[in-house]
Amino acid sequence: MSVSMVKGQKVSLAKRGGGTLSRVRMGLGWDAVKKRGLFGRRSQSIDLDASALLFDGERRLVDAVWFRQLQSKDGSVQHTGDNLTGEGEGDDESIIVDLPRLSPAVTQIVFTVNSFTGQDFSQIENAFCRLVDETTGDELARYDLTGSGRHNAQIMAKVSRDGGGWAMTAIGAIATGRTFQDLLPATAAHL
Protein backbone atom coordinates (compact mmCIF):
# COMPACT_ATOMS: atom_id res chain seq x y z
CA MET A 1 0.00 0.00 0.00
CA SER A 2 1.53 3.27 -1.16
CA VAL A 3 1.53 6.47 0.86
CA SER A 4 0.50 9.53 -1.15
CA MET A 5 2.75 12.24 0.24
CA VAL A 6 2.34 15.96 0.61
CA LYS A 7 5.07 18.58 0.68
CA GLY A 8 7.11 18.33 3.88
CA GLN A 9 5.75 14.94 4.92
CA LYS A 10 8.21 12.30 6.16
CA VAL A 11 7.49 8.55 6.10
CA SER A 12 9.53 5.66 7.45
CA LEU A 13 10.62 3.16 4.84
CA ALA A 14 10.68 0.18 7.22
CA LYS A 15 9.15 -2.88 5.59
CA ARG A 16 5.74 -3.95 6.71
CA GLY A 17 6.12 -6.93 9.01
CA GLY A 18 9.68 -5.93 9.92
CA GLY A 19 12.94 -5.96 8.07
CA THR A 20 14.73 -3.27 6.18
CA LEU A 21 14.69 -2.18 2.59
CA SER A 22 17.62 -3.24 0.49
CA ARG A 23 16.97 -1.88 -3.03
CA VAL A 24 14.74 1.06 -3.85
CA ARG A 25 13.91 2.78 -7.11
CA MET A 26 13.02 6.44 -7.39
CA GLY A 27 10.84 6.78 -10.47
CA LEU A 28 10.07 10.06 -12.22
CA GLY A 29 7.22 10.39 -14.68
CA TRP A 30 5.79 13.30 -16.65
CA ASP A 31 3.87 14.28 -19.76
CA ALA A 32 4.27 17.34 -21.93
CA VAL A 33 1.22 19.59 -22.12
CA LYS A 34 -0.28 19.34 -25.61
CA LYS A 35 0.11 22.58 -27.56
CA ARG A 36 -2.78 24.01 -29.53
CA GLY A 37 -2.09 24.68 -33.16
CA LEU A 38 -3.94 25.34 -36.40
CA PHE A 39 -4.53 21.63 -36.92
CA GLY A 40 -5.47 20.64 -33.36
CA ARG A 41 -3.30 19.69 -30.41
CA ARG A 42 0.23 18.43 -30.91
CA SER A 43 2.77 16.89 -28.60
CA GLN A 44 6.00 18.56 -27.65
CA SER A 45 9.15 17.04 -26.22
CA ILE A 46 10.16 17.97 -22.69
CA ASP A 47 13.52 16.70 -21.43
CA LEU A 48 13.29 16.39 -17.65
CA ASP A 49 16.27 14.91 -15.87
CA ALA A 50 16.28 13.04 -12.56
CA SER A 51 19.40 13.22 -10.41
CA ALA A 52 20.45 11.65 -7.10
CA LEU A 53 22.79 13.72 -4.94
CA LEU A 54 24.63 11.84 -2.19
CA PHE A 55 25.56 13.82 0.92
CA ASP A 56 27.59 12.92 3.98
CA GLY A 57 26.88 13.80 7.63
CA GLU A 58 28.64 17.15 7.17
CA ARG A 59 26.22 18.03 4.35
CA ARG A 60 28.97 17.76 1.74
CA LEU A 61 28.20 16.40 -1.72
CA VAL A 62 30.19 13.17 -2.08
CA ASP A 63 28.76 11.90 -5.38
CA ALA A 64 26.03 12.59 -7.95
CA VAL A 65 24.18 10.30 -10.34
CA TRP A 66 22.62 12.00 -13.35
CA PHE A 67 22.39 11.64 -17.12
CA ARG A 68 26.12 12.37 -17.57
CA GLN A 69 27.19 9.96 -14.78
CA LEU A 70 24.80 7.02 -14.75
CA GLN A 71 26.43 5.23 -11.81
CA SER A 72 27.86 6.31 -8.46
CA LYS A 73 31.59 5.81 -7.92
CA ASP A 74 30.93 2.83 -5.61
CA GLY A 75 28.24 1.33 -7.88
CA SER A 76 25.47 1.55 -5.27
CA VAL A 77 23.34 4.04 -7.22
CA GLN A 78 22.39 3.46 -10.87
CA HIS A 79 20.49 5.76 -13.27
CA THR A 80 18.64 3.65 -15.87
CA GLY A 81 19.00 6.21 -18.67
CA ASP A 82 17.93 9.59 -19.98
CA ASN A 83 14.41 10.02 -21.40
CA LEU A 84 14.41 13.06 -23.71
CA THR A 85 10.65 13.36 -24.28
CA GLY A 86 8.52 12.10 -21.36
CA GLU A 87 6.65 9.82 -23.75
CA GLY A 88 5.36 6.48 -22.53
CA GLU A 89 3.50 5.20 -19.52
CA GLY A 90 4.83 4.89 -15.99
CA ASP A 91 8.30 5.97 -14.93
CA ASP A 92 10.15 7.92 -17.60
CA GLU A 93 13.44 7.92 -15.68
CA SER A 94 14.51 5.77 -12.74
CA ILE A 95 17.34 5.74 -10.26
CA ILE A 96 17.98 2.51 -8.37
CA VAL A 97 19.68 2.62 -4.97
CA ASP A 98 21.25 -0.44 -3.33
CA LEU A 99 21.00 0.79 0.27
CA PRO A 100 23.33 -1.77 1.94
CA ARG A 101 26.08 -0.96 -0.62
CA LEU A 102 25.96 2.76 0.13
CA SER A 103 28.98 4.06 1.96
CA PRO A 104 28.18 4.50 5.68
CA ALA A 105 29.36 8.10 5.20
CA VAL A 106 26.31 8.80 2.98
CA THR A 107 23.50 10.00 5.24
CA GLN A 108 21.13 11.55 2.69
CA ILE A 109 20.22 11.12 -0.96
CA VAL A 110 18.40 14.10 -2.46
CA PHE A 111 16.46 13.57 -5.68
CA THR A 112 16.08 16.51 -8.02
CA VAL A 113 14.40 17.09 -11.37
CA ASN A 114 15.22 19.81 -13.86
CA SER A 115 14.37 20.72 -17.42
CA PHE A 116 17.66 20.44 -19.28
CA THR A 117 16.21 22.19 -22.33
CA GLY A 118 14.87 25.01 -20.15
CA GLN A 119 11.10 24.62 -20.53
CA ASP A 120 9.27 25.53 -17.36
CA PHE A 121 6.85 23.39 -15.37
CA SER A 122 3.81 25.17 -16.84
CA GLN A 123 4.47 22.99 -19.91
CA ILE A 124 4.46 19.73 -17.90
CA GLU A 125 1.54 17.73 -16.51
CA ASN A 126 1.01 14.47 -14.63
CA ALA A 127 4.47 14.76 -13.07
CA PHE A 128 5.29 12.54 -10.10
CA CYS A 129 8.10 10.89 -8.22
CA ARG A 130 7.67 7.60 -6.41
CA LEU A 131 9.72 5.23 -4.34
CA VAL A 132 9.43 1.52 -5.12
CA ASP A 133 10.77 -1.51 -3.21
CA GLU A 134 12.82 -3.12 -6.01
CA THR A 135 12.72 -6.57 -4.41
CA THR A 136 8.89 -6.75 -4.38
CA GLY A 137 7.81 -4.11 -6.90
CA ASP A 138 5.60 -2.48 -4.25
CA GLU A 139 5.19 1.28 -4.43
CA LEU A 140 6.13 2.64 -1.00
CA ALA A 141 5.48 6.34 -1.46
CA ARG A 142 4.35 8.72 -4.18
CA TYR A 143 4.66 12.47 -4.43
CA ASP A 144 2.76 14.32 -7.14
CA LEU A 145 4.80 17.25 -8.36
CA THR A 146 2.20 19.96 -8.13
CA GLY A 147 2.61 23.69 -8.43
CA SER A 148 3.20 24.09 -12.14
CA GLY A 149 4.73 27.43 -12.81
CA ARG A 150 7.56 29.34 -14.36
CA HIS A 151 10.29 27.37 -12.55
CA ASN A 152 12.25 24.76 -14.48
CA ALA A 153 13.49 22.58 -11.62
CA GLN A 154 12.39 21.06 -8.35
CA ILE A 155 14.04 19.47 -5.36
CA MET A 156 11.69 16.50 -5.18
CA ALA A 157 12.45 14.39 -2.15
CA LYS A 158 15.17 12.94 -0.01
CA VAL A 159 15.87 9.54 1.47
CA SER A 160 17.82 9.76 4.71
CA ARG A 161 19.15 7.45 7.38
CA ASP A 162 16.60 7.20 10.19
CA GLY A 163 17.98 5.23 13.11
CA GLY A 164 18.72 1.77 11.74
CA GLY A 165 16.55 2.28 8.65
CA TRP A 166 15.60 4.89 6.11
CA ALA A 167 12.92 7.56 5.74
CA MET A 168 11.63 9.55 2.76
CA THR A 169 10.73 13.23 2.99
CA ALA A 170 8.72 14.96 0.26
CA ILE A 171 10.35 18.35 -0.38
CA GLY A 172 8.74 19.77 -3.52
CA ALA A 173 10.77 22.99 -3.45
CA ILE A 174 10.78 24.94 -6.70
CA ALA A 175 14.12 25.99 -8.12
CA THR A 176 15.82 27.18 -11.27
CA GLY A 177 18.57 25.36 -13.12
CA ARG A 178 19.33 23.10 -16.06
CA THR A 179 21.60 20.65 -14.17
CA PHE A 180 21.99 19.41 -10.61
CA GLN A 181 25.01 21.72 -10.15
CA ASP A 182 22.71 24.72 -10.65
CA LEU A 183 20.44 23.32 -7.90
CA LEU A 184 23.08 22.81 -5.19
CA PRO A 185 22.48 26.17 -3.43
CA ALA A 186 18.72 25.49 -3.26
CA THR A 187 19.33 21.89 -2.13
CA ALA A 188 21.44 22.98 0.86
CA ALA A 189 18.36 24.37 2.61
CA HIS A 190 16.81 20.88 2.74
CA LEU A 191 19.69 18.89 4.20
Side-chain angles (χ1 to χ4, degrees), residues 97-132:
V97 182
D98 189 339
L99 295 168
R101 284 185 62 196
L102 273 171
S103 165
V106 173
T107 59
Q108 300 180 75
I109 304 166
V110 177
F111 295 94
T112 64
V113 59
N114 55 273
S115 172
F116 183 72
T117 49
Q119 292 109 326
D120 62 49
F121 275 40
S122 69
Q123 299 175 54
I124 301 163
E125 61 186 2
N126 305 320
F128 65 87
C129 70
R130 66 190 194 121
L131 197 69
V132 176

Side-chain angles (χ1 to χ4, degrees), residues 15 20-24 132-138:
K15 283 190 165 189
T20 58
L21 288 172
S22 58
R23 288 177 53 91
V24 295
V132 176
D133 181 341
E134 269 295 282
T135 59
T136 64
D138 293 338

